[in-house]
Amino acid sequence: MTQPIKRKSLAEAVADRLQHSIERGVYPLQSKLPAEPELMQQFEVGRSTIREAIKFLTQQGFVSVQQGLGTFVISYVGSNDLDAKIERADFADVFEVRQLLEIKIVEKAAHNRKNIHIEKMTGKLKERKKSGAAGLLKECIAADIAFHTLLAESSGNSILFELYKTLSLHVSKFFEQVYTDTTPFTGSQALHEALLAAVKEKNASKALQLLKKIIGNP
């Protein structure tokens, strides 16, 4: 299923351009960014847009606002706050990374899963099915995300697990914004159950085949 692309606000676009300039060294460390009127003229936007852009850069750890003095560059690379970066990313990019992670996760889960993981995933799929049939969208999404997160945990790779958890928080928000009912989830329930069965059987090739059918759908 084709996912809608998140449109960036004008302030985010300005922040991206300023960030690029900082990363290229146009504004050296400890240097002061141009004053608001100059930035407004440079980007042909209003004062509120500039202030919002500076707020984004501050949150990312690129600049620091000193009251009465101005805005100063404090880092070329920002705070490396992955969660904040994902929050500002186009969802199409987030979804693509999630899909790539899932391919490796399923492959490793089929080899490394433990019985406790199977039990927990079985429970979450039951919740997913029950919520879906009852039309409880929020609960259905929560169960779906929990199932996939447990699958990531069962891979045995803690980095994959942490990355997937972070991405899934944003995927969950996106699902709540986009879907109006549980139909997409009930429609893929059988595939999810078959995927779990393949992981339980430690059949990596079958699990990957099923995942490819699921990818692009909830």
Side-chain angles (χ1 to χ4, degrees):
M1 181 181 67
T2 302
Q3 301 293 340
I5 297 175
K6 174 185 174 183
R7 294 184 180 277
K8 290 187 177 181
S9 68
L10 190 56
E12 288 175 312
V14 170
D16 283 348
R17 289 177 62 182
L18 283 171
Q19 178 182 327
H20 186 55
S21 294
I22 291 170
E23 290 170 339
R24 289 188 296 114
V26 174
Y27 301 114
L29 285 177
Q30 304 307 321
S31 68
K32 183 179 177 181
L33 289 186
E36 284 183 356
E38 185 177 342
L39 290 174
M40 290 164 60
Q41 183 176 15
Q42 178 182 340
F43 293 106
E44 299 182 345
V45 296
R47 188 179 302 275
S48 62
T49 298
I50 294 299
R51 289 183 175 176
E52 190 67 19
I54 295 300
K55 181 180 178 182
F56 283 133
L57 291 175
T58 301
Q59 292 172 341
Q60 291 293 311
F62 284 97
V63 302
S64 175
V65 178
Q66 298 183 26
Q67 196 65 34
L69 296 176
T71 302
F72 295 84
V73 177
I74 60 173
S75 173
Y76 286 134
V77 296
S79 62
N80 291 319
D81 185 340
L82 179 61
D83 190 68
K85 291 180 185 296
I86 294 172
E87 183 69 36
R88 291 180 56 200
D90 287 336
F91 185 79
D93 291 339
V94 175
F95 202 76
E96 181 179 19
V97 172
R98 181 180 184 245
Q99 291 175 334
L100 291 172
L101 288 177
E102 287 206 59
I103 290 172
K104 179 55 69 174
I105 283 168
V106 165
E107 180 184 353
K108 293 183 70 65
H111 294 293
N112 299 328
R113 99 293 182 280
K114 293 180 171 58
N115 289 336
I116 187 63
H117 296 132
I118 298 298
E119 291 174 11
K120 290 181 178 180
M121 285 188 282
T122 298
K124 290 302 174 183
L125 277 190
K126 287 181 179 178
E127 290 178 21
R128 186 183 190 275
K129 183 176 183 178
K130 183 177 179 180
S131 298
L136 301 173
L137 181 59
K138 189 171 183 178
E139 291 81 356
C140 187
I141 290 172
D144 176 79
I145 294 296
F147 166 76
H148 285 282
T149 303
L150 283 167
L151 189 62
E153 184 180 12
S154 73
S155 73
N157 185 311
S158 61
I159 302 300
L160 273 176
F161 176 45
E162 291 300 325
L163 284 172
Y164 195 85
K165 278 200 304 183
T166 300
L167 284 169
S168 288
L169 291 173
H170 299 275
V171 172
S172 178
K173 293 177 185 177
F174 176 79
F175 282 169
E176 289 182 9
Q177 292 172 1
V178 170
Y179 296 116
T180 57
D181 59 48
T182 60
T183 301
F185 298 90
T186 56
S188 63
Q189 181 71 22
L191 282 174
H192 280 72
E193 292 174 356
L195 172 61
L196 177 57
V199 171
K200 182 179 180 179
E201 295 164 3
K202 295 193 172 185
N203 189 331
S205 61
K206 184 177 180 181
L208 283 170
Q209 289 176 1
L210 289 163
L211 176 67
K212 288 175 182 178
K213 292 181 180 180
I214 292 172
I215 282 178
N217 296 288

